[in-house]
Amino acid sequence: FVTSITEAWRGELVHSIVTDENGYIKTYKIKDPSFNNWFGLAIANRNGQISNFPVCNKSFDLSYCGFDL
């Protein structure tokens, strides 16, 4: 099991790899830096109007698909 953590321009970028007994990759997972901040966006927009969401969303500048990896 190996975990690599690096700093990307949006925050912490994590790569995790699990291998089997022969050294072949069994699982490979990437956690995008924006993943940690989606909950913060929900808190910031709580009790707000839906029309405020685009402005609030752009201020957080989160990635939807993880293309900034």
Side-chain angles (χ1 to χ4, degrees), residues 6-37:
T6 58
E7 187 68 24
W9 69 283
R10 280 195 170 106
E12 180 181 84
L13 178 62
V14 179
H15 291 258
S16 296
I17 301 172
V18 177
T19 59
D20 62 11
E21 60 276 351
N22 296 320
Y24 293 106
I25 295 175
K26 189 174 177 181
T27 306
Y28 184 77
K29 180 173 173 56
I30 301 172
K31 185 182 70 68
D32 182 72
S34 295
F35 181 80
N36 295 332
N37 297 321

Side-chain angles (χ1 to χ4, degrees), residues 43-62:
I43 296 297
N45 218 26
R46 183 180 288 171
N47 298 325
Q49 296 178 353
I50 193 67
S51 60
N52 292 340
F53 178 76
V55 173
C56 192
N57 185 28
K58 287 300 172 191
S59 69
F60 274 71
D61 192 28
L62 301 178

